[in-house]
Amino acid sequence: MLFSLPLIYLVVEIAVFIVLGQWIGFGWAVLIALVTPLVGMPIARRALAAVRRRSPGQRSSSTRTDAFVADIAVTMIAAGLLVVPGIASFVVGLVLLIPPVRTLVGH
């Protein structure tokens, strides 16, 4: 299953690109696919900076360490998805940055 994840990712990204290209046009779909990493980089940087700011205060409290580590992991995955070129990965990365979604995925 783990070896098929890159193939599944590729198929999903191509399918989303084709559907978007048919919906708004090929040129716009290419432009969106090229711009998503450029838009995603500052968003990912801001999300990771927010985690870094919360980190010192959270380390002193060991009551919710597991939830905090899960939150960090989901935020890092979301940041990675925002930087990877692709429309579907960008949308999934944005959704993972929503705090309630991050909490659900982290647990």
Side-chain angles (χ1 to χ4, degrees), residues 7-98:
L7 182 63
I8 293 170
Y9 164 76
L10 192 61
V11 168
V12 168
E13 285 291 350
I14 290 171
V16 168
F17 182 78
I18 290 171
V19 168
L20 190 66
Q22 290 174 345
W23 188 42
I24 64 172
F26 178 73
W28 287 109
V30 169
L31 182 65
I32 290 172
L34 292 176
V35 167
T36 53
L38 300 175
V39 171
M41 281 182 206
I43 297 170
R45 187 178 308 124
R46 218 170 289 128
L48 292 175
V51 167
R52 239 185 345 262
R53 279 192 304 271
R54 287 184 312 179
S55 200
Q58 194 69 24
R59 276 185 261 168
S60 62
S61 167
S62 63
T63 57
R64 304 258 313 152
T65 305
D66 55 343
F68 183 63
V69 170
D71 189 52
I72 290 173
V74 174
T75 303
M76 290 180 73
I77 291 169
L81 288 172
L82 287 171
V83 176
V84 171
I87 300 161
S89 60
F90 181 79
V91 171
V92 171
L94 281 179
V95 169
L96 284 177
L97 286 180
I98 300 170

